[in-house]
Amino acid sequence: RAYVTLEDARLYPQDFLEGIIAAVAPTLAHVVIDACHSYQFALSRGAGGTHRPVRGFLEGAGLHRKNVGFLLSSNPSGESHEWEAFQSGVFSHEVRSGLAGAADVNGDGTITYREMAAFVSRANEAIVNDLYRPAVHARAPGDTETLLNLPAAKGSQLRVHGTASGKHFLIEDARGVRWADFHPAQGESLSLRLPSAHLPVYVRSVADGRESVVAQGAPLVILAEQPTRAPETETRGAAHRAFKALFSLPFDRQAVASFPLGLDGETSARAQSTSDLSPSRGRKPWAIAAFTAAAAAAAGGTYYFAANRGLISSGASVDQKTAAERNDLISRNERKAAWLVGTAATAATAGLLLLLWPSSPATLDVVPSDGGVNVQLTMR
């Protein structure tokens, strides 16, 4: 069973529903998990590596599936990530940025699951290495896609439009905590809520490092009208190159419209099958090299076998010394041929493994039966 590791216990899905959600009895529950393999908290692996809903998970505590929405930080077999620049999990920071208003791409004051998931996905899209690209899986409650209504949020509003749009900005509070990142597309506008409890806040352009200071809790701050200055402090230390690509692509309505929302087995299986192809593509050049080495070794072994056949068929009417030398040569050729054939077999096997070995871990299912057990090994 999947679980979340707490300081003093393991929190299993059923305990979470019965001990927390059922106790609160909300009309809607929004579950956000930033943890490795968090996908398994909502969906489990079935036979053969396929994904299926955990039976009785959402229904077991007297709740209906439509009452609970999920935002999860990893794919079925992936890791969640942290970055020192965020001082937190990458997914957590992206969700906080979106909830501050950066995900409200149409400006209607409502952040939907689709907008949030598309916002997180777009923020991560420029990371080239799949290993460091955070994933997001979202499933809205059945009756609504709404995650947050911004008009009810407290704090000053930061209006981003005009000359300020089309750029990547970050917001730091007075403690030096990176509060949010946002990057609206050119021509788009955003309205963000600022953290009034930790003024002043600093709105910094990632491109040139210049920052604007919001010192007072004014009801509305227009970013394009704020004076800028060089930053007082500069981040020191080695930043992870992969995560420096976060938020480098602008967020727009097309990113939301094209994002496939849903935490179901079919969608996840398609995403998994697509991601599983990338390791195989990376191994293909090595497989070709292994097959080339196998072919060369096999050709060498064939040469020595053919040479021996010629020596053997050369006739026995030779003196004893010549016969002894010929026999020694045949023995050496046999050893060389055997070594080359063995090398060819090893290289060919390595090439096949590189091509055919599953991109995801193999699963072994052992099912008791009347006559013993059935064992099934599944590789994907």
Side-chain angles (χ1 to χ4, degrees), residues 246-259:
L246 292 168
F247 295 96
S248 63
L249 298 178
F251 180 59
D252 55 17
R253 300 173 191 234
Q254 179 59 33
V256 175
S258 62
F259 187 85

Side-chain angles (χ1 to χ4, degrees), residues 182-244:
F182 57 94
H183 187 169
Q186 188 69 45
E188 298 282 352
S189 60
L190 289 177
S191 182
L192 291 93
R193 268 44 176 195
L194 298 176
S196 58
H198 300 285
L199 294 175
V201 296
Y202 305 88
V203 184
R204 183 177 305 154
S205 169
V206 174
D208 57 18
R210 298 192 64 81
E211 64 185 17
S212 301
V213 183
V214 180
Q216 302 296 328
L220 179 64
V221 177
I222 308 298
L223 181 58
E225 299 176 357
Q226 292 293 108
T228 63
R229 69 180 192 187
E232 293 180 353
T233 60
E234 185 176 345
T235 303
R236 299 181 183 274
H240 299 151
R241 291 197 175 203
F243 293 143
K244 290 182 70 175

Side-chain angles (χ1 to χ4, degrees), residues 297-333:
T302 302
Y303 167 79
Y304 284 113
F305 278 128
N308 272 0
R309 290 190 62 181
L311 290 172
I312 294 172
S313 62
S314 62
S317 57
V318 293
D319 57 69
Q320 185 176 359
K321 179 180 179 182
T322 302
E325 291 175 349
R326 183 183 62 186
N327 290 338
D328 288 341
L329 180 58
I330 290 174
S331 297
R332 290 196 300 271
N333 287 348

